[in-house]
Amino acid sequence: MRTQVGIIGAGPAGLLLSHLLHLRGIESVVLEARSRGEIESTIRAGVLEQGTMDLLNEAGLGARMQAEGAVHHGFELAFEGQRRRIALTELTGHSITVYAQHEVIKDLVAARVAAYGALKFGVTDVSLHNFDDAPGSTRPSVRYRHEGFEHELECDFIIGCDGSQGVARGSMPQAVRHDYQRIYPFGWFGILVEAPPSAHELIYARHDRGFALISTRSPNVQRMYFQCDPKDSVDAWSDDRIWSELHARVDTLDGWQITEGRIFQKNIVGMRSFVSTPMQAGKLFLAGDAAHIVPPTGAKGMNLAVSDVRVLTAALQAFYEEGASDKLDRYTETALKRVWRAEHFSWWMTRMLHKLDDTSPFEQRLQVAELEHVTTSRAAATALAENYVGSVAV
Ligand code: RFL
Ligand code: PHB
């Protein structure tokens, strides 16, 4: 089997890339390890930057997002028993949309299926071959097993969109690879709750007991997180214990409280910052979580995956339409500018809002001083807001 672009992984990066290439008349095949049901139900991100929304709209994928997503013009920072608003739209002219990642995935899969796009679920034993640029080498290929048979997919380019646990990054030549990493000594306990929203906008809370985040999914379903030990067990947290922890961290001194409801999903995720460079070697390119991870505090991960794909699509289009490879050659350099901006912002938000292992009373006061600053100085609030909505210059 042959195609122009072989894509590994049907997350937001792989599916969107395949769809954008299709709109430009470029053929691709997407190979995914999990089933359609699994990828369409895994609960992950919630916040889309305006640039992400615009791209999904331009690609004809925005109908359900516009009908069911919620546009937010600000969010709140809670600390010292009060809540202060960051007026995103007033400060930047941009907004964000809360629309679950698995809903984006459903929209993308539906679009690929409607266009008869080649999308294979449940593949195993994926391996990458011949992607180095050595003179005389044969075409790149991806070998895999599907429905009991061995297959080989020949292509011009291989794009690794297979997330943080995939095979593509490990196939990059070790001699050129450099990884940068920070693992945080805490995780997030996430819950889905059947309840009306506690507030109109998202609330990021800093408390001496640890961080908490009140987000939303729909008028009837809310998403909440609180900082926990990454090795903690979901079973150690009864509903009562969860609610008392969230009340302690988020409720304000004026008597406002978060709204409780029936908890129907609980999970714990670890937190790390990670960048692997370069993001390309010969005919192999990485996009999204395959190349970089951010802690979710800045809501950047999926948005970064989308921004990699935007850069890669333009580069592949220039290659196929004009025979120009300069954009492909500069892919790592171009993509990494936004990646490192988001890495810094996500690390900075994480550090400002979480209880760190070495947080002394001195550092606790510094966190509060920083929160006071970003919520009172228009210049500081604007810098935060530009980073959050993704309009910051890079
Ligand atoms: P994905 O989504 O991990 O998709 C990779 C796909 O590749 C498949 N795969 C393979 N397929 C074939 N062969 C193999 N060998 C394979 N190995 C893996 C996998 O099954 C999977 O389907 O990567 P992608 O596309 O790069 O997308 C990245 C985003 O999913 C991720 O960055 C976000 O979820 C991060 N994130 C958030 N991002 C935001 O922009 N806004 C948010 O509000 C936000 N909140 C979050 C988040 C991530 C969270 N967790 C779970 C860490 C909140 C949380 C709690
Ligand atoms: C979410 O709704 O899942 C969410 C929102 C904001 C974040 C992270 C996750 O920063």
Side-chain angles (χ1 to χ4, degrees):
M1 196 173 167
R2 272 174 173 258
T3 190
Q4 290 175 298
V5 182
I7 299 174
I8 307 171
L15 289 168
L16 181 62
L17 177 63
S18 176
H19 184 68
L20 295 178
L21 292 177
H22 162 74
L23 295 178
R24 286 154 183 81
I26 303 167
E27 232 184 58
S28 66
V29 173
V30 180
L31 304 174
E32 166 59 47
R34 294 184 296 159
S35 68
R36 179 173 179 176
E38 276 176 280
I39 66 164
E40 290 187 344
S41 60
T42 305
I43 308 292
R44 292 187 79 174
V47 172
L48 309 185
E49 293 173 356
Q50 190 158 327
T52 300
M53 267 149 53
D54 293 345
L55 185 65
L56 294 174
N57 280 326
E58 283 159 26
L61 297 160
R64 227 161 51 87
M65 175 181 72
Q66 281 174 35
E68 295 171 28
V71 177
H72 287 216
H73 298 291
F75 70 82
E76 293 187 304
L77 288 167
F79 59 102
E80 303 293 278
Q82 27 133 29
R83 282 153 57 198
R84 303 245 186 105
R85 183 163 190 261
I86 300 291
L88 296 172
T89 307
E90 194 190 313
L91 293 166
T92 67
H94 295 275
S95 54
I96 52 138
T97 293
V98 180
Y99 184 61
Q101 178 169 327
H102 66 278
E103 302 295 345
V104 177
I105 295 281
K106 284 186 204 165
D107 298 341
L108 283 163
V109 171
R112 294 312 304 127
V113 170
Y116 304 103
L119 173 49
K120 298 194 189 307
F121 293 105
V123 305
T124 58
D125 304 318
V126 173
S127 60
L128 285 50
H129 306 272
N130 300 330
F131 53 80
D132 60 354
D133 257 338
S137 65
T138 48
R139 269 159 64 96
S141 70
V142 183
R143 293 191 197 135
Y144 60 98
R145 280 187 78 80
H146 187 236
E147 294 173 346
F149 295 97
E150 305 263 358
H151 298 267
E152 180 157 5
L153 174 68
E154 273 192 28
C155 40
D156 302 332
F157 299 99
I158 304 173
I159 318 292
C161 299
D162 49 351
S164 57
Q165 310 295 325
V167 294
R169 190 178 59 247
S171 306
M172 297 286 279
Q174 294 304 312
V176 296
R177 212 178 118 188
H178 195 93
D179 292 350
Y180 302 85
Q181 165 152 270
R182 165 174 288 227
I183 296 174
Y184 300 90
F186 44 79
W188 279 15
F189 197 112
I191 57 170
L192 279 170
V193 183
E194 207 176 274
S198 292
H200 295 302
E201 296 176 332
L202 269 58
I203 302 172
Y204 290 79
R206 182 230 166 258
H207 191 276
D208 288 349
R209 299 179 68 90
F211 169 78
L213 168 59
I214 308 300
S215 180
T216 183
R217 282 293 178 267
S218 73
N220 314 314
V221 174
Q222 310 312 317
R223 179 73 165 148
M224 305 184 189
Y225 300 96
F226 57 93
Q227 179 182 352
C228 67
D229 181 338
K231 292 188 284 298
D232 211 337
S233 144
V234 163
D235 300 331
W237 288 85
S238 67
D239 293 5
D240 283 349
R241 187 173 169 216
I242 290 171
W243 288 121
S244 70
E245 197 59 45
L246 280 167
H247 281 300
R249 296 185 191 190
V250 190
D251 291 355
T252 47
L253 292 171
D254 59 9
W256 173 86
Q257 295 191 341
I258 51 164
T259 307
E260 295 186 20
R262 185 179 70 85
I263 300 175
F264 61 93
Q265 211 249 5
K266 303 179 184 178
N267 70 327
I268 294 177
V269 292
M271 306 258 287
R272 68 187 174 120
S273 297
F274 174 78
V275 180
S276 182
T277 61
M279 290 169 65
Q280 65 196 96
K283 301 281 171 45
L284 169 64
F285 294 78
L286 304 180
D289 278 16
H292 41 72
I293 307 284
V294 286
T297 329
K300 287 283 159 251
M302 173 157 85
N303 292 298
L304 271 188
V306 168
S307 114
D308 287 352
V309 162
R310 182 200 307 268
V311 174
L312 205 44
T313 301
L316 289 166
Q317 183 175 9
F319 176 81
Y320 282 111
E321 287 179 6
E322 300 151 30
S325 58
D326 53 317
K327 283 188 178 160
L328 281 173
D329 296 342
R330 286 201 310 273
Y331 170 66
T332 297
E333 190 192 333
T334 311
L336 278 183
K337 286 201 178 112
R338 185 157 289 279
V339 168
W340 277 112
R341 175 87 305 279
E343 288 287 345
H344 175 264
F345 176 65
S346 304
W347 165 85
W348 175 79
M349 284 281 278
T350 301
R351 192 196 51 169
M352 177 169 71
L353 292 164
H354 288 74
K355 182 179 160 100
L356 309 172
D357 260 3
D358 56 353
T359 313
S360 66
F362 177 75
E363 267 96 16
Q364 288 179 359
R365 292 300 97 202
L366 289 184
Q367 287 180 323
V368 173
E370 190 151 36
L371 283 160
E372 284 285 352
H373 179 55
V374 296
T375 53
T376 46
S377 152
R378 191 175 173 93
T382 305
L384 193 169
E386 283 180 346
N387 276 283
Y388 193 81
V389 301
S391 69
V392 64
V394 287

